């Protein structure tokens, strides 16, 4: 928790659940990544948190932006981003979205299939395009691989055709999975994509760029490697494969930029035992999987939780949300322990929840309003 | 699809994704359940779909209401429900919510733990309360059991204390799980709860009610037993255990009342193959798990899908949503087949999506707005 957030919580005691985020920390994280990878252009993954306060701060830092939808393109433009600084990075786009983005000056698009390439050729002619390759997601707490990316063979064919279709075959991309905790994942993916890059270049395709995706982790319960370690590993792999002829490099961080900048303030609604002698207490919070904490699905992302009783005796707990939905359980199998003194009405904080929380919140599931948001 | 919905879609071609629901079908379902279980009072589970048009129609039919939050209590009152017709059925309630509901005249509350019972005694004194017992959820496609309900022993203790605390120990409840496809689940649960009911009555606790919960299924891909079969099985079990001294009976249907009254109109955004020879096509729709179809988690609820090419040659597909989230996959393991002619821009319908869709939709994940809703 940053001092600014601590002061805000103490002074305002805002109604819960709410997200409180320190925009200065966003800037610090952005600068840390820029220092760790000075040769890469940073495209902030807007989906991690599209708050105007964040986008405006990043525009001021000359960030680029990775948009998942025409609505996110618009949010970036509204925050002052130039269209040239925006990549439409979703490989699944409606024709109407492609056309609108193209009209507004966006000229960089992702794809991973023939149909999408043909849509881009028809509705965003002349644009720079990059093809997403499927790579291993081992080591990622929130993997992506089954849904996105194509094979080396298919990418080769499609990138070769792109110029014929009137598009600019600009580069290749991959994504090693979100909350990726190993640097090796990037090294292996770079090796795979570099071979294709060389093959295509030798075949006469004018490739200039490799998009390394995002996935850089935030610290939750467990330690993760620092951003410098990722920067070093990536540069080592790039140099190994490309020598001095480095292509342009893009990265698309989301979680790393905003994750540890925010926290969710919540309230304990109920503490119960199934039976008098059951050692496990069920702790029900006023936010759950459908109130924004969607990444606790499968207990994937394990948030740190602070309580007013920290330092006193602890016992095992299962932690759940406030809805009548049986799937609204945050942690039951993971070994969470919370103070025995915890009770209904206590305020708690879920740390490092600045990314992938506010936008996941349901509109009104069980009647509960989406969580409030404060940007400091 | 009802004729009214078909006419609306043909005339208006509404922008997708959207939910279109025929309120007359809601009324038909309500009447069918009332005929199948004439001795039970129907408490509509508002969380299934809290649209004012639905609540108002049900108020006109003298329905009762099961509310999951103070916001849902308010929605019922706004639709014209009397406070006496409302049960606050969530066993996890903030003190502020209990107090507000009590002030507005709600006098019936669920609980399943000591702490909640004490909160009710303090903030809704004199209210009728019922204790939720944990029962088997086998046979349910969307089970609930781990999160809710207490043991027979614990329920016995708490119900005995309720009167001492100034509350009215009105009854017992259970829930066999949502989309429950077997009538046996109700019979087994009734047997278990009836024993406790008798024990408590003999011990001098003035119990009068059994709340049978909800769970009655909607037809998705597979056939399900008709509502009359559930009614018959329930009455047989109740008579077996209580003879002529039947307690009051409550049911809390949600899905059964609104599920098949609505459909989601969606658009195909992309059809792609991972590789030229891959027989499986990936079909991406403009609605996915975070746009409202949350119950496809684990491929639990399997919606029927109609396309403009139905009747032509089919092939295997995986089906996913439009976001950049790797978890936004509807069906990959389930054997779905769709026409080979399906392509980007085609309009499709997901049938029987009137329940548990509109409210699950995220506020703006990946920038996508929640689905529009039309009530006919």
């Amino acid at each position: 928790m940053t001092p600014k957030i601590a002061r805000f919580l103490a002074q305002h005691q805002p109604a819960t659940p709410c997200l409180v985020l320190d925009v200065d920390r966003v800037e610090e994280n952005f600068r840390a990544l820029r220092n760790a990878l000075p040769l890469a252009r940073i495209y902030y993954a807007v989906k991690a948190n599209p708050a105007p306060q964040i986008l405006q701060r990043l525009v001021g830092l000359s960030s680029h932006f990775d948009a998942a939808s025409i609505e996110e393109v618009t949010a970036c433009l509204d925050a002052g981003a130039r269209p040239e600084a925006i990549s439409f990075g979703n490989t699944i786009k409606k024709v109407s979205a492609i056309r609108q983005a193209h009209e507004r000056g966006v000229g960089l698009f992702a794809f991973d299939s023939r149909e999408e390439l043909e849509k881009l050729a028809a509705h965003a002619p002349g644009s720079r395009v990059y093809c997403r390759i499927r790579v291993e997601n081992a080591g990622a707490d929130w993997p992506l691989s089954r849904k996105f990316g194509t094979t080396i063979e298919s990418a080769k064919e499609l990138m070769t055709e792109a110029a014929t279709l009137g598009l600019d075959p600009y580069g290749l991309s991959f994504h090693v999975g979100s909350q990726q905790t190993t640097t090796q994942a990037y090294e292996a993916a770079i090796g795979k994509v570099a071979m294709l890059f060389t093959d295509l270049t030798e075949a006469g395709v004018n490739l200039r760029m490799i998009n390394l995706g995002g996935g850089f982790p935030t610290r939750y319960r467990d330690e993760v490697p620092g951003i410098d370690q990722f920067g070093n590993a990536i540069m080592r792999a790039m140099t190994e494969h490309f020598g001095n002829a480095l292509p342009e490099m893009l990265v698309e961080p989301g979680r790393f930029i905003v994750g540890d900048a925010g926290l969710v303030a919540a309230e304990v609604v109920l503490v119960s035992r199934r039976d008098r002698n059951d050692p496990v207490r069920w702790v029900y919070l006023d936010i759950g999987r459908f109130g924004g904490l969607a990444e606790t699905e499968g207990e994937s992302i394990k948030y740190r939780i602070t309580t007013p009783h920290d330092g006193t005796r602890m016992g095992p707990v299962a932690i759940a949300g406030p809805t009548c939905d049986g799937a609204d359980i945050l942690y039951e199998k993971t070994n969470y322990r919370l103070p025995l003194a915890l009770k209904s009405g206590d305020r708690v904080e879920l740390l490092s929840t600045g990314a992938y929380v506010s936008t996941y919140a349901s509109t009104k599931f069980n009647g509960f309003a989406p969580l409030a948001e404060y940007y400091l």
Side-chain angles (χ1 to χ4, degrees), chain A:
Chain A
M1 189 182 318
T2 71
K4 214 197 261 184
I5 293 178
R7 262 198 314 278
F8 176 84
L9 290 177
Q11 284 174 6
H12 298 278
Q13 297 256 330
T16 63
C18 66
L19 174 68
V20 189
L21 190 142
D22 184 342
V23 185
D24 291 343
R25 173 61 70 89
V26 172
E27 177 164 345
E28 287 166 29
N29 290 339
F30 181 87
R31 290 184 186 279
L33 177 57
R34 193 152 62 181
N35 288 336
L37 270 174
L39 294 182
R41 282 206 304 281
I42 301 175
Y43 283 70
Y44 170 62
V46 177
K47 57 185 168 290
N49 189 323
Q53 296 89 336
I54 291 171
L55 300 182
Q56 286 159 13
R57 178 70 69 100
L58 291 172
V59 166
L61 294 162
S62 303
S63 180
H64 293 66
F65 296 91
D66 165 41
S69 63
I70 187 64
E71 291 81 0
E72 286 192 356
V73 167
T74 305
C76 293
L77 295 173
D78 289 349
R82 293 170 304 114
E84 300 77 27
I86 299 171
S87 164
F88 202 150
N90 193 338
T91 55
I92 311 158
K93 297 175 287 294
K94 282 191 178 180
V95 162
S96 58
I98 293 172
R99 205 183 288 144
Q100 280 179 58
H102 183 64
E103 279 167 11
R104 293 185 196 170
V106 174
L108 179 58
F109 295 87
F111 75 97
D112 66 2
S113 67
R114 172 170 304 274
E115 192 179 57
E116 191 74 6
L117 183 67
E118 288 169 357
K119 281 154 64 181
L120 291 170
H123 304 285
S127 292
R128 289 179 299 166
V129 296
Y130 59 93
C131 186
R132 181 163 168 173
I133 315 294
R134 191 155 26 138
V135 299
E136 286 296 318
N137 273 208
D141 287 344
W142 194 255
L144 305 163
S145 60
R146 294 174 305 164
K147 184 174 171 187
F148 298 107
T150 188
T151 59
I152 292 287
E153 297 66 36
S154 177
K156 195 165 172 180
E157 194 176 291
L158 296 174
M159 285 303 282
T160 307
E161 278 179 50
T164 324
L165 289 167
L167 294 163
D168 177 0
Y170 180 49
L172 302 172
S173 80
F174 61 81
H175 203 298
V176 294
S178 197
Q179 184 69 6
Q180 175 56 256
T181 57
T182 72
T183 57
Q184 293 91 316
Y186 293 90
E187 296 174 279
I190 288 169
K192 180 173 183 180
V193 171
M195 287 213 304
L196 173 61
F197 193 98
T198 309
D199 279 3
L200 281 166
T201 307
E202 285 172 2
V205 179
N206 181 27
L207 288 190
R208 289 97 74 201
M209 181 277 281
I210 286 190
N211 179 338
L212 304 154
F216 307 115
T218 285
R219 164 81 199 271
Y220 296 110
R221 295 217 309 179
D222 299 329
E223 291 281 357
V224 292
I227 196 65
D228 289 337
Q229 287 176 256
F230 286 97
N232 291 339
I234 285 170
M235 286 316 298
R236 201 165 48 232
M238 288 296 289
T239 312
E240 185 191 327
H241 293 287
F242 292 99
N244 287 326
L246 282 180
E248 296 172 43
M249 290 162 58
L250 272 57
V251 287
E252 296 170 339
R255 190 186 303 277
F256 175 78
I257 301 290
V258 293
D260 70 358
L263 61 74
V264 165
E267 189 181 306
V268 175
V269 184
L270 179 68
V271 179
S272 78
R273 289 181 200 267
R274 286 284 167 267
D275 212 347
R276 192 190 279 178
N277 300 317
D278 193 340
V280 175
R281 293 160 297 149
W282 278 72
V283 174
Y284 299 89
L285 304 179
D286 60 0
I287 183 169
R289 282 190 50 208
F290 304 107
L293 306 176
E295 290 196 326
T296 58
E297 178 180 341
E299 313 200 9
S300 301
I301 299 292
K302 297 173 176 64
Y303 297 114
R304 279 195 285 171
I305 301 175
T306 58
T307 81
H309 310 288
D310 288 352
T312 65
R313 250 180 75 209
M314 316 260 271
V317 292
I319 305 175
T323 69
C324 290
D325 194 317
D328 187 11
I329 294 174
L330 307 180
Y331 306 112
E332 190 184 4
K333 291 164 195 151
T334 308
N335 173 32
Y336 266 82
R337 295 172 65 83
L338 287 173
L340 295 172
L342 200 68
K343 61 180 189 312
S344 166
D346 282 344
R347 292 178 73 104
V348 300
E349 291 88 31
L350 293 99
L351 304 186
S352 295
T353 43
Y356 299 113
V357 169
S358 58
T359 56
Y360 268 121
S362 76
T363 52
K364 54 184 174 188
F365 186 55
N366 274 220
F368 296 112
L371 81 174
E373 300 172 51
Y374 302 95
Y375 294 89
L376 315 179

